Amino acid sequence: IEDGFYYDIDLGEEVIKEEDLPKIEKEMKKISKSNKLIKRIELSKQEALDMFKNDLYKQDLISRMDENEQVISAYKQDDFIDLCRGPHMNSTKDMKYFKLLKVSGAYWKGDSNNKMLQRIYGVCFETEEDLNNYLEMLEEAKKRDHKKLGRELELFMISEYGPGFPFFLPKGMILRNELENFWYKEHAKEGYQFIKTPIMLSKELWELSGHWFNYKENMYTSNIDEKEFAIKPMNCPGGMLVYKNSMHSYRDLPIRAGELGLVHRHEKSGELNGLFRVRCFTQDDAHIFCTPEQLVDEINSIIDFVADTMDIFNMKFEVELSTRPESYVGDLKNWELAEAGLKEAMDRRGMKYEINEGDGAFYGPKIDFKVKDAIGRTWQCATIQLDFNLPERFEIKYQDKDGQLKTPVMLHRVIFGSMERFHGILIEHYAGAFPTWLAPYQTAIVPIADRHADAAAEIANKIKALGIRVLLDDRSESMNYKIRENLQHKKIPYVLVVGDKEIQDKTVAIRARGRGQIGTKPLDEFISMLEEEIKTKGKKIVE
């Protein structure tokens, strides 16, 4: 798998515990040192069935293989033979630097109707340095766990009354509102219109879109007036109805319709994970309708939008192009044109990208953007997808300059992907220490003694009146304790200390998160610098 490897095991009633992993590692080290050769064996389907006749799981895998598959491979190491496509290393000595990470349960073939197996996860690297660097990254990731920081910073909660349905707390709503305001502002600059579609629509719509037949098990349904409805798992069908609400000319295109749309999908309880895997989330969707001639420019425009947005959060990204799968809808010619258009858009700008052959959606090829966070992990966020399916199903048209009715090219795209998941990513990316423009509190005011409380409150009110989020910390605690707690625990970007000298000189003594004391400045000067930092999203900072 992308982050290491796993192996599923059926040990009957015997249970592997975390404390057993070092014992297994010890045995693995012995095997590695023994330099056992690993040999590939090629088998026919019948030979494979005979070889693994006592293994129900391998019998199941082999029986599902295509009769026309010429060879089935197995790998032999001493008296141990395992079914695997490979390729493998030549010898166990090539695998010295490994670590077993955890053990968990996993249903056979991911189906809850099947038996629960035990799954051991691990990693293996070419050098000891690479292994140590990865393990250090995992330790850092634990400190940045968004579930832990979400509780400590009072950003969000999950209730037992709604598993998978997150609650955003007041401080988390400040962060969310800032992100959404940023989203709307930047989209307006890019010429997007905004729509809002209903959260529940009739079964007939989902039949028309194809979701009813392909996605029903993940949808929440209800009966209204003896008619079946479903809560939307995706925003796209509603966007199609908005397009069909009026006639369109080629002069109207491109139409860029943006929607922060709340969707619901049934996820298995064992797969829920904080804000990363939830049952309701807001997609920062946009559906773009354009002519074939406009396609490349639209794709380039989206790529620029993604790049500019991720730069705000100091995130780099890698790009993958996923092409036509074996099972697809639409004409082959359209697929070839679409894939060529996506490639042309990226080639024109000299962008490096990987090609995932056959990994596109059944309805069109796609570009995926995988962003890297502060500790080097990659996250799937932005996506651009071409769609040949919905335009045909909904029979959407525009009148071209020759008077003919034609089907527009349709693009689905997201920038953040899911607002909830992107919140989780940002919590871990920043380790909860958000840049000033996003921080729930942007500055805190700390009076040195009780006699300075009124002056501190006056400063707080002046800053608050300017729309800056401020915390007045006039608790009966020591000054140093309050400074430390606000900067380190609450992770507020700035703390202003107010005492006799500051009151007399109309100044504030400034402490900055992660930078310590940065001096004393006139209050108005600090406010101006803070406003500039917020306005520029941190390109300029208080110094």
Side-chain angles (χ1 to χ4, degrees):
I1 54 175
E2 186 174 351
D3 297 315
F5 60 88
Y6 69 80
Y7 202 92
D8 289 344
I9 310 162
D10 181 356
L11 289 177
E13 298 300 317
E14 187 176 350
V15 177
I16 300 173
K17 301 182 177 66
E18 296 285 339
E19 52 264 35
D20 294 323
L21 297 184
K23 301 174 192 174
I24 300 172
E25 283 181 352
K26 187 176 179 181
E27 190 65 25
M28 292 169 70
K29 287 174 182 174
K30 286 183 187 176
I31 297 170
S32 177
K33 286 179 182 178
S34 66
N35 189 18
K36 296 186 185 299
L37 297 179
I38 302 169
K39 298 178 181 177
R40 177 181 169 94
I41 303 170
E42 295 187 349
L43 308 162
S44 68
K45 185 170 183 177
Q46 188 56 54
E47 287 172 333
L49 288 169
D50 292 340
M51 177 174 284
F52 297 104
K53 62 185 177 183
N54 296 320
D55 189 320
L56 295 175
Y57 301 106
K58 290 182 172 58
Q59 287 274 314
D60 184 19
L61 289 172
I62 296 165
S63 65
R64 295 168 187 266
M65 291 181 181
D66 190 343
E67 289 285 354
N68 297 322
E69 192 162 348
Q70 293 187 354
V71 294
I72 294 172
S73 60
Y75 285 84
K76 186 175 188 298
Q77 173 188 311
D78 271 3
D79 58 351
F80 177 68
I81 300 177
D82 203 4
L83 183 73
C84 194
R85 292 187 186 278
H88 281 222
M89 305 298 286
N90 294 320
S91 166
T92 60
K93 74 176 175 59
D94 297 324
M95 294 166 283
K96 298 178 185 177
Y97 308 111
F98 55 81
K99 181 72 178 173
L100 299 184
L101 301 175
K102 64 178 180 177
V103 61
S104 68
Y107 290 111
W108 172 242
K109 301 193 77 63
D111 187 341
S112 59
N113 295 314
N114 292 336
K115 186 171 182 179
M116 174 77 79
L117 307 179
Q118 297 182 74
R119 176 173 291 182
I120 295 179
Y121 288 92
V123 290
C124 187
F125 288 89
E126 191 172 356
T127 68
E128 186 174 19
E129 181 183 10
D130 288 342
L131 174 61
N132 290 335
N133 288 341
Y134 183 80
L135 296 178
E136 286 175 13
M137 184 275 289
L138 289 184
E139 286 303 310
E140 181 62 28
K142 287 180 184 177
K143 298 175 189 175
R144 294 168 178 258
D145 182 357
H146 78 285
K147 298 186 290 296
K148 171 178 169 288
L149 289 173
R151 287 191 302 272
E152 293 175 357
L153 298 174
E154 299 176 313
L155 300 174
F156 71 94
M157 59 172 270
I158 305 289
S159 168
E160 62 183 11
Y161 295 106
F165 299 97
F167 289 67
F168 279 82
L169 304 177
K171 291 176 185 174
M173 277 305 297
I174 292 172
L175 175 62
R176 184 178 184 118
N177 286 337
E178 286 295 330
L179 271 181
E180 291 191 1
N181 291 339
F182 168 78
W183 189 89
Y184 278 114
K185 183 177 179 181
E186 295 304 311
H187 279 73
K189 287 181 188 175
E190 295 292 322
Y192 284 76
Q193 307 168 30
F194 303 110
I195 63 173
K196 180 68 74 175
T197 60
I199 200 168
M200 181 178 278
L201 293 161
S202 72
K203 169 186 174 183
E204 287 77 13
L205 175 72
W206 303 110
E207 288 178 330
L208 176 60
S209 69
H211 289 93
W212 194 261
F213 308 106
N214 298 303
Y215 205 73
K216 186 174 183 288
E217 68 276 7
N218 296 100
M219 297 166 67
Y220 298 106
T221 60
S222 181
N223 286 311
I224 303 174
D225 297 335
E226 300 181 357
K227 191 174 182 179
E228 200 160 9
F229 281 69
I231 298 176
K232 64 178 178 180
M234 297 172 188
N235 298 305
C236 326
M240 303 301 290
L241 296 182
V242 171
Y243 181 90
K244 289 195 74 170
N245 186 55
S246 57
M247 291 292 296
H248 299 285
S249 158
Y250 70 95
R251 293 187 182 89
D252 302 323
L253 304 185
I255 292 174
R256 307 181 185 107
E259 177 179 17
L260 288 178
L262 181 65
V263 299
H264 289 69
R265 299 177 186 176
H266 177 64
E267 301 285 356
K268 294 176 183 176
S269 58
E271 296 176 346
L272 300 176
N273 179 16
L275 296 178
F276 289 159
R277 196 69 177 265
V278 292
R279 287 172 169 159
C280 73
F281 55 94
T282 301
Q283 284 190 306
D284 65 316
D285 258 327
H287 298 105
I288 299 170
F289 306 92
C290 64
T291 67
E293 295 77 20
Q294 295 169 331
L295 177 63
V296 172
D297 286 341
E298 285 304 303
I299 293 168
N300 264 315
S301 176
I302 297 170
I303 293 172
D304 285 338
F305 200 174
V306 172
D308 291 344
T309 300
M310 293 309 161
D311 184 58
I312 293 291
F313 302 101
N314 197 26
M315 288 178 167
K316 305 297 183 184
F317 59 82
E318 298 171 349
V319 181
E320 291 181 351
L321 170 62
S322 297
T323 58
R324 177 173 49 87
E326 289 185 15
S327 178
Y328 63 93
V329 297
D331 294 332
L332 179 59
K333 182 180 177 182
N334 286 338
W335 272 88
E336 291 171 346
L337 288 172
E339 290 174 6
L342 292 174
K343 289 178 181 176
E344 182 185 344
M346 292 187 288
D347 290 340
R348 187 186 291 180
R349 61 195 300 123
M351 175 176 279
K352 293 182 180 179
Y353 57 92
E354 297 289 329
I355 296 181
N356 283 344
E357 292 289 352
D359 200 41
F362 75 93
Y363 52 79
K366 62 176 181 171
I367 298 174
D368 290 325
F369 299 81
K370 297 188 175 182
V371 302
K372 284 195 172 184
D373 68 11
I375 57 175
R377 296 171 300 178
T378 58
W379 305 89
Q380 171 62 58
C381 290
T383 298
I384 306 171
Q385 294 183 331
L386 268 75
D387 190 345
F388 303 120
N389 182 45
L390 288 183
E392 291 180 3
R393 282 179 172 271
F394 282 82
E395 298 179 341
I396 63 171
K397 302 291 180 183
Y398 70 96
Q399 188 174 39
D400 205 356
K401 61 183 71 173
D402 59 8
Q404 297 290 316
L405 289 179
K406 296 182 179 177
T407 302
V409 177
M410 181 181 179
L411 289 168
H412 304 254
R413 55 105 284 203
V414 290
I415 303 294
F416 297 143
S418 149
M419 296 299 287
E420 285 73 11
R421 185 167 174 271
F422 197 69
H423 274 73
I425 292 170
L426 287 184
I427 292 170
E428 299 203 1
H429 176 57
Y430 292 118
F434 301 108
T436 305
W437 72 280
L438 282 176
Y441 287 119
Q442 294 165 320
T443 187
I445 315 295
V446 172
I448 292 176
D450 288 346
R451 68 178 182 275
H452 307 124
D454 288 344
E458 186 177 335
I459 291 171
N461 289 334
K462 180 175 181 179
I463 293 175
K464 186 177 181 181
L466 297 171
I468 296 169
R469 298 185 290 275
V470 60
L471 171 68
L472 174 62
D473 192 347
D474 55 2
R475 294 174 298 164
S476 298
E477 302 284 355
S478 73
M479 178 190 73
N480 287 335
Y481 172 81
K482 288 189 285 187
I483 291 172
R484 186 170 61 253
E485 185 181 38
N486 285 308
L487 289 175
Q488 296 178 11
H489 179 66
K490 295 181 180 178
K491 302 184 188 295
I492 297 174
Y494 295 99
V495 170
L496 307 183
V497 178
V498 178
D500 291 333
K501 189 172 188 331
E502 287 77 22
I503 293 171
Q504 179 181 332
D505 297 342
K506 295 184 179 180
T507 59
V508 286
I510 307 164
R511 268 77 166 178
R513 180 188 64 205
R515 291 185 284 152
Q517 296 187 38
I518 60 173
T520 299
K521 294 183 185 297
L523 176 61
D524 289 343
E525 183 180 333
F526 168 76
I527 291 173
S528 295
M529 295 180 75
L530 184 62
E531 287 179 323
E532 188 68 13
E533 179 172 335
I534 294 167
K535 180 182 176 182
T536 63
K537 305 287 190 294
K539 299 299 181 185
K540 297 180 181 179
I541 61 173
V542 175
E543 293 181 322

